[in-house]
Amino acid sequence: ALTKSDKVPDVEGLASLFDMFRMQTAKAPQFKHPNLCIDVVQHGLKHGPAAGLQKEQEVFRATVASEVCKSLVHIFLARNGTARVKGIT
């Protein structure tokens, strides 16, 4: 699947689409991960699937250690943990 490229559109033609995505993510500047995802997809389309996967690994390793990620995981676990407490939900 990493070698097929017959259905991959031209990256230069998608520049305006990526710009539109970045404008939408600017509405929530406190979150960095949407822009990082856009960067990874754009990098993969421009440099090939293997390079995109490598970039995804790098970004994931950097992001998973961030304070925002830790906070989001904490909120998720706290919210789902309260669903299991009898008499609260």
Side-chain angles (χ1 to χ4, degrees):
L2 291 179
T3 57
K4 285 192 166 193
S5 63
D6 58 336
K7 294 184 181 180
V8 177
D10 180 30
V11 181
E12 302 305 322
L14 295 175
S16 61
L17 185 63
F18 285 116
D19 290 341
M20 183 187 70
F21 291 153
R22 283 195 176 84
M23 286 188 336
Q24 289 178 348
T25 62
K27 296 175 185 174
Q30 68 274 24
F31 296 115
K32 306 294 181 213
H33 54 278
N35 280 326
L36 293 173
C37 292
I38 294 168
D39 292 342
V40 167
V41 170
Q42 194 170 18
H43 184 82
L45 287 172
K46 189 172 187 179
H47 299 286
L53 289 174
Q54 180 66 34
K55 179 81 170 175
E56 182 180 4
Q57 285 179 349
E58 294 168 8
V59 168
F60 177 78
R61 286 188 182 125
T63 306
V64 77
S66 71
E67 288 301 316
V68 172
C69 180
K70 291 176 186 178
S71 298
L72 289 171
V73 169
H74 178 74
I75 291 169
F76 172 79
L77 294 175
R79 190 178 83 199
N80 288 345
T82 58
R84 295 187 193 118
V85 178
K86 291 183 181 181
I88 291 181
T89 57

